[in-house]
Amino acid sequence: MKTEDALDRREHHAEVNFVYEQFHQLCRERNVVDFTDLIDIATKLLTQCARVRKLLHATHQYILVDEFQDTSVSQYAFLKALVGRRSSVTVVGDDDQSIFGFQGADFRNFRRFLSDFAPDAGQDPRAAVNVVKLQENYRSSAHIVRSASYLIQRNSSRLEHKTLTTSIAVEDSNFVRVVECRSHEVEVGMICSMISHLISIGRIRGLSDVAVLSRTNRVGQSFRDAFSEKGIRIASQGALDQEMGLLESVVAILRITSNEYEPSDVWNMIKCLKLEARKASLHRDTEVLLERGARDLGAPLIDFFRK
């Protein structure tokens, strides 16, 4: 590392530390906490207050942690503080599925668990913890399982080697393809074109043979919008769709009220007011007309709505 790079990084850390201290000072003044504080404060309470610790240890005799690969170091510290002498604790997870490191998840908690819950320091940790391996995949065909295993086995930081099997004998002649797109818009357009092409050449019987999976609601919404514009009928699944739409509408109204809105907020407010626009062209035309009317009036958009 060059000297100037080290100095820049040191200055950056100093700025982050300053902002962090100012943030927590503001939280203390307003008597509020953030999500991380909820965990850290609870852990501190358990470790420093014997009365609370004794009560919770007696109350929580059986503890189960699911998706353990997604836990952070602070969450693991809370788990250790919560477990008493007579507690029975079970964790379920797969270090190969740890994908939330950017949010603080640490798959090495598996190793910490095996070590920390050993009865004797000199004993093999694995002898102290009952490890049950679940190595059969019930969702995917053999081709998918082999492709995933081929990729995962190149991770040198894995807890241990696992051999996945599947009872699904369906074999697909198509290979798994990895496509890197310049932007999300390019990705959505490519998938729409691919679906239309597969139908036109008879490779798939219809749209019911196609599934598009997305990890976030926002990404899923962009696919739904693109499919609507292309005339591709879909059946959307997602428990948060309705709630997220309501939240987006509320945020849109707040932004428009403060006259600090984005173009998409106009459409979200229209949906909230139940002004149905069934085509994408109506969406754009309505948005343009509303903004033009507000501009001609010389007033914020919310005043135009009122008039």
Side-chain angles (χ1 to χ4, degrees), residues 232-264:
I232 300 176
R233 298 180 62 184
I234 64 171
S236 179
Q237 301 291 331
L240 293 179
D241 288 352
Q242 183 176 358
E243 291 83 350
M244 288 299 295
L246 177 61
L247 288 175
E248 289 177 350
S249 299
V250 171
V251 172
I253 292 175
L254 292 175
R255 284 177 174 169
I256 293 175
T257 302
S258 64
N259 203 30
E260 295 181 359
Y261 63 93
E262 300 175 358
S264 60

Side-chain angles (χ1 to χ4, degrees), residues 65 90 97 99:
V65 183
T90 301
Q97 297 186 40
I99 60 174

Side-chain angles (χ1 to χ4, degrees), residues 7 43 97 106 120 131 171 200 215 219 229 234 238 245 287:
L7 291 175
T43 304
Q97 297 186 40
D106 191 346
D120 299 317
V131 179
E171 287 293 342
S200 65
R215 184 161 286 275
V219 173
E229 291 182 5
I234 64 171
E287 181 179 312

Side-chain angles (χ1 to χ4, degrees), residues 68-169:
F68 192 64
Q69 74 277 356
D70 296 332
T71 57
S72 64
V73 174
S74 60
Q75 289 170 330
Y76 179 70
F78 171 73
L79 173 65
K80 284 183 61 179
L82 185 62
V83 175
R85 285 181 172 271
R86 298 184 179 181
S87 298
S88 177
V89 57
T90 301
V91 299
V92 182
D94 182 1
D95 59 316
D96 288 337
Q97 297 186 40
S98 180
I99 60 174
F100 290 106
F102 65 95
Q103 292 183 343
D106 191 346
F107 70 92
R108 291 172 296 184
N109 283 342
F110 282 105
R111 290 195 178 94
R112 297 185 180 102
F113 182 86
L114 291 170
S115 176
D116 292 340
F117 288 88
D120 299 317
Q123 186 178 356
D124 181 6
R126 296 182 186 276
V129 180
N130 184 21
V131 179
V132 180
K133 297 182 179 180
L134 307 174
Q135 300 187 129
E136 183 170 358
N137 186 299
Y138 296 93
R139 299 178 178 177
S140 305
S141 64
H143 180 65
I144 297 297
V145 170
R146 284 197 302 267
S147 300
S149 299
Y150 181 79
L151 177 65
I152 294 172
Q153 69 183 5
R154 280 158 173 70
N155 182 3
S156 59
S157 301
R158 299 172 71 195
L159 185 63
E160 62 178 29
H161 178 74
K162 293 186 288 290
T163 303
L164 295 179
T165 60
T166 179
S167 58
I168 302 177

